[in-house]
Amino acid sequence: MTMEQSRIDRLNELARKARAQGLTPEEHAERSQLRNEYLAAIRLNLQAQLDNTYIVDEHGNKRRLKRKP
């Protein structure tokens, strides 16, 4: 899952506005939702990357990373 660039741009716009002049309650809610979407996308991308990561031992044997229980 990737987040659309327009939504990332809006999140950045709200962050700049929050630092400059503050946000309305509606903008706070929107920023919170966009942050949650952004974090979920990052977590999914990292998980996919780790699922495709292999460890090579000193003998040249490849094995996949395993999830911890």
Side-chain angles (χ1 to χ4, degrees):
M1 175 179 140
T2 58
M3 195 168 171
E4 293 177 14
Q5 187 60 44
S6 62
R7 297 181 68 74
I8 294 171
D9 293 342
R10 177 65 178 155
L11 179 58
N12 289 331
E13 178 184 325
L14 289 171
R16 283 190 296 275
K17 184 176 179 189
R19 285 190 298 272
Q21 64 193 36
L23 299 174
T24 66
E26 294 82 16
E27 289 171 331
H28 273 290
E30 181 184 5
R31 183 178 68 169
S32 178
Q33 178 193 4
L34 289 171
R35 277 183 179 171
N36 290 337
E37 287 179 30
Y38 182 72
L39 290 174
I42 288 175
R43 287 184 184 113
L44 282 175
N45 288 336
L46 179 59
Q47 182 178 356
Q49 185 175 357
L50 290 174
D51 286 344
N52 291 311
T53 300
Y54 291 86
I55 302 295
V56 180
D57 65 14
E58 63 275 358
H59 303 292
N61 299 322
K62 287 173 53 175
R63 61 183 172 91
R64 284 193 131 168
L65 282 180
K66 295 181 183 173
R67 291 181 183 251
K68 289 185 177 184

